[in-house]
Amino acid sequence: MLLTGIDFGQLYRDQMALAGGKEKPASAWDARALEMQKRPSDSHYTQAFIELTNTSDCSTVLDMGCGTGAIGLALAAKMHQVIGMDYSIGMLQAFESNARKQGITNIRTIQRAWEDSWEETPKCDLVVASRSTTVMDMTDALQKLDRTANKRVCLTNLVGGSFIDRGLIEALEREVRSIPDYIYILNILYQMGRHPRLDYIEANGRLAGIANVEDFVTKAELSLGTLSDSEKQRAEAWYLADSKRAKRGGDGFKWAFISWDTN
C-alpha cells in the first residue's frame, strides 16, 4: 500500500476509540480553573514553547485551548491582539483575570470547542494550541487550525500516548492503552500538503515531586484510579526499586512541538 492510500485520520480515530478516549466536559475544566490559575506561568515548558514559536511578521495570535493563559499572555507583548479561545468559561475567566493582574489589555476571549463550527472564528497571523490537542477527530482539528492561521500554526502533542511511565503501568500488570500520539499529526499534515517542523519539549512524569512511597501511591490513584491491594504492593515495589526515578514521576515524557506555515 502506498502512503497516499492510508487514511491517517481514520487510524487516529480508531486508536482513540480503542484507548477509550473521550472529551472532558467543560465543567471538569471549570472546576480546575482556580487551582490552575495559581500555578506559575514561567515553567520550563512555557519557556520552551515560547522559544520555539516563530512570531516573525505576526501581530495577532489565537490561543486555542488557552486555559489560564500561560502561552497566550506570554506572547502578548509581541502582538497587537491576543485571542484566548476555550470551551471552559472558568478557564476564560482565569485567562482574563491573569491578564488584568499582568496589566495586559490587548486580549479578548471566545468560548468555543474543537468540535464547534469555527466559521465565525477570527483569522489570526499565528495560531497556537498548547497541550490542548487530545481531540477525537485530529483531521478536523488540524484543518480548523490551518484555515484560521494567516501565517503559521504551532502546537504540542503528547509523545508516546501516556502521561504515566509505562514501566509503572506494566508493573501494575495493567494493559497499556495509549492514546494516539504526534506521528499521526505529521502524516495528516503531509497529506494536507503541509511541511511541518518537529521539535521536542522534555517534561517530568505526572507523578513527579513525590515525598515518600505513601504519597506516591496516593498520587498514582489520582491518575490511574483506585488500586487494589496487590497493585498498591506492586506500585510500592516499583517506587522503592528506583526511588530517584520514581520521584521524577518515572522516566518522564515529551511533548512534540509541531509547527508549519500556512501561506
Side-chain angles (χ1 to χ4, degrees):
M1 178 181 292
L2 297 177
L3 184 67
T4 53
I6 301 174
D7 187 341
F8 288 99
Q10 185 60 56
L11 291 177
Y12 175 97
R13 292 190 292 273
D14 291 345
Q15 184 174 342
M16 185 63 81
L18 288 172
K22 59 183 179 180
E23 293 278 8
K24 286 185 179 179
S27 58
W29 293 110
D30 292 344
R32 294 187 61 190
L34 184 59
E35 166 212 340
M36 293 181 67
Q37 188 177 357
K38 296 176 182 178
R39 295 180 183 179
S41 59
D42 59 344
S43 67
H44 164 74
Y45 169 88
T46 299
Q47 293 173 10
F49 190 104
I50 298 301
E51 289 173 3
L52 290 168
T53 299
N54 178 7
T55 59
S56 61
D57 301 321
C58 294
S59 62
T60 55
V61 59
L62 184 143
D63 184 359
M64 176 54 191
C66 63
T68 62
I71 300 300
L73 297 181
L75 291 169
K78 301 179 180 181
M79 298 292 160
H80 175 70
Q81 185 177 58
V82 176
I83 298 175
M85 194 159 81
D86 206 298
Y87 72 146
S88 163
I89 190 64
M91 288 297 180
L92 294 177
Q93 290 170 345
F95 182 99
E96 293 168 349
S97 175
N98 282 338
R100 287 193 297 271
K101 290 176 182 177
Q102 296 176 45
I104 298 172
T105 59
N106 59 332
I107 63 109
R108 57 176 288 206
T109 56
I110 298 173
Q111 187 177 14
R112 194 156 298 160
W114 284 102
E115 62 271 19
D116 291 343
S117 169
W118 283 30
E119 288 187 8
E120 297 183 5
T121 300
K123 296 193 70 172
C124 290
D125 294 334
L126 173 66
V127 176
V128 299
S130 168
R131 298 188 290 198
S132 64
T133 57
T134 305
V135 297
M136 300 304 106
D137 188 336
M138 183 57 73
T139 300
D140 179 64
L142 294 175
Q143 289 173 344
K144 285 174 174 173
L145 294 172
D146 192 80
R147 288 195 300 266
T148 306
N150 290 323
K151 295 183 178 179
R152 68 186 59 91
V153 177
C154 299
L155 62 80
T156 49
N157 191 259
L158 184 64
V159 175
S162 176
F163 292 100
I164 308 299
D165 189 286
R166 285 174 176 266
L168 172 59
I169 297 175
E170 291 170 356
L172 295 176
E173 299 179 4
R174 289 192 176 187
E175 180 184 0
V176 178
R177 301 177 66 191
S178 299
I179 61 174
D181 75 357
Y182 75 100
I183 200 66
Y184 290 93
I185 295 176
L186 298 179
N187 283 290
I188 293 169
L189 287 172
Y190 174 82
Q191 292 182 334
M192 287 170 53
R194 298 309 188 194
H195 303 286
R197 290 172 290 275
L198 174 66
D199 214 313
Y200 298 99
I201 300 175
E202 302 280 347
N204 286 327
R206 183 169 280 181
L207 304 181
I210 302 299
N212 52 56
V213 66
E214 291 79 14
D215 288 345
F216 179 78
V217 172
T218 299
K219 197 168 183 181
E221 287 192 305
L222 292 175
S223 295
L224 296 169
T226 302
L227 302 180
S228 67
D229 289 342
S230 60
E231 285 179 327
K232 288 180 181 178
Q233 292 175 0
R234 289 193 286 271
E236 291 173 0
W238 185 84
Y239 177 92
L240 295 171
D242 189 347
S243 60
K244 185 178 292 186
R245 178 191 63 186
K247 287 178 181 178
R248 297 197 306 269
D251 293 326
F253 60 93
K254 297 179 181 179
W255 292 99
F257 181 94
I258 301 170
S259 61
W260 70 94
D261 295 332
T262 61
N263 54 9

